[in-house]
Amino acid sequence: MPITKPYHRIWRPVKDYDWSNSVISFDDNSEPKPTLDYLYDDCFANQEEKKSLITATRMILRDLNTLYDYIEPSDDNLGVFSHRIYELLLRTAAEFEANCKGILKANGYSKPENEWCVKDYFKISRAARLNEYRLTFERWETGHVFRPFIEWNPSRRELLKWYDAYNEVKHDRYGNFKKAKLEYLMNALAGLICIMHAQYGEGMSYVGFQEYGTTNINEGIVETPIFTIKAPHFPEEEQYGFIWENIKTDQQPVVNYTFG
């Protein structure tokens, strides 16, 4: 049975949502129908915070395009390292952390915030099926498919190589400088974009990426001129099965996800 109320800042497909009439909120009998309106409600996620997070990511993407003036986006260059890559890697991974902390905080995660670390961020993986996400960058020469959370099996956490590299160069840049390489930067950026989709779904593009051109959105896919995301598959019992119009005035229209 589908989930009858959304979790704070956790996207899921909405059961029976009609993509062919996605702008229509009522049917011919004036009965409300499934919509994505919950994504744009402050009860689900603070919309100003969402804009701030997307603005920070958009700035990283702009700087990435400048980096591309000097390093061709290709598998042949995955091992290239530099101070500019180092700078972007730190900013990107820090934004990933900010998003993870926001998800945990929104859901009333019980552990003290000053003790949160990657072991806590891993708990988001089961809720969002992060290890299933796939992303491609449109300028990437070889059409490389990035799976930034492939190591995060839902039942077992392995080290994320890009996140581990971020921590190593952050704490000892001189000794670990060669880990500030394009491979880890691109996986970190893919991870950041995917964790944003895991929160805001189709709503992430409307406020952040139109300036780059047309954004195509369909079930499980967000396609922009910069990147394309393929979202995880959620079985019916893990999908959202509510009509937002009918529940949005409830005392608690959005509920906490229990991370354990």
Side-chain angles (χ1 to χ4, degrees):
M1 184 176 183
I3 300 164
T4 57
K5 288 188 175 181
Y7 301 118
H8 290 103
R9 283 176 70 161
I10 295 177
W11 168 87
R12 297 284 177 86
V14 175
K15 187 176 182 294
D16 297 327
Y17 177 70
D18 184 0
W19 283 96
S20 64
N21 290 293
S22 58
V23 297
I24 300 175
S25 301
F26 292 82
D27 62 22
D28 293 338
N29 298 316
S30 296
E31 292 292 329
K33 55 181 284 188
T35 69
L36 304 179
D37 291 350
Y38 78 98
L39 293 169
Y40 310 100
D41 196 300
D42 281 321
C43 290
F44 170 73
N46 184 295
Q47 298 300 300
E48 289 303 313
E49 183 179 358
K50 176 172 74 171
K51 290 178 183 178
S52 176
L53 291 167
I54 289 177
T55 296
T57 302
R58 195 166 54 188
M59 292 173 67
I60 291 171
L61 287 168
R62 287 198 192 110
D63 291 343
L64 178 70
N65 279 328
T66 301
L67 183 69
Y68 284 169
D69 289 341
Y70 304 95
I71 304 173
E72 188 66 19
S74 166
D75 285 359
D76 292 335
N77 291 326
L78 285 171
V80 173
F81 59 95
S82 73
H83 282 277
R84 289 297 184 193
I85 295 174
Y86 163 81
E87 176 192 24
L88 280 178
L89 176 60
L90 263 58
R91 286 170 55 195
T92 303
E95 282 302 314
F96 166 74
E97 292 175 329
N99 279 266
C100 289
K101 289 176 181 177
I103 296 170
L104 295 175
K105 187 174 182 179
N107 285 280
Y109 187 55
S110 58
K111 187 175 176 180
E113 188 172 348
N114 62 355
E115 297 178 9
W116 294 353
C117 64
V118 69
K119 293 179 181 178
D120 302 291
Y121 308 153
F122 166 71
K123 295 182 179 181
I124 299 170
S125 186
R126 179 175 294 178
R129 292 179 170 257
L130 292 179
N131 69 316
E132 296 181 24
Y133 268 96
R134 292 170 171 80
L135 184 142
T136 56
F137 292 98
E138 299 307 313
R139 282 192 61 183
W140 202 265
E141 183 184 62
T142 51
H144 188 114
V145 177
F146 290 88
R147 299 187 62 184
F149 302 105
I150 186 64
E151 297 95 340
W152 276 5
N153 184 288
S155 60
R156 182 179 178 184
R157 180 182 68 88
E158 301 288 348
L159 289 176
L160 296 176
K161 293 180 180 178
W162 58 267
Y163 190 80
D164 197 39
Y166 151 69
N167 276 301
E168 291 189 24
V169 298
K170 179 175 69 172
H171 294 295
D172 183 4
R173 185 182 68 186
Y174 181 74
N176 296 304
F177 189 55
K178 290 185 178 180
K179 292 192 175 182
K181 60 183 181 179
L182 190 62
E183 176 185 0
Y184 294 144
L185 169 61
M186 300 309 297
N187 275 284
L189 183 52
L192 172 58
I193 295 171
C194 290
I195 198 71
M196 288 174 54
H197 185 276
Q199 297 167 84
Y200 307 120
E202 297 82 4
M204 64 178 284
S205 62
Y206 290 125
V207 296
F209 301 106
Q210 306 98 315
E211 68 181 74
Y212 297 111
T214 303
T215 299
N216 299 316
I217 301 174
N218 210 325
E219 186 172 7
I221 298 175
V222 174
E223 182 179 3
T224 80
I226 305 172
F227 58 82
T228 297
I229 299 172
K230 180 68 173 65
H233 168 73
F234 287 87
E236 184 174 314
E237 65 271 16
E238 294 183 20
Q239 296 178 20
Y240 288 148
F242 55 79
I243 295 176
W244 184 246
E245 189 68 24
N246 291 341
I247 69 169
K248 67 181 183 180
T249 57
D250 288 359
Q251 188 173 0
Q252 286 186 308
V254 184
V255 296
N256 286 345
Y257 183 90
T258 303
F259 291 106

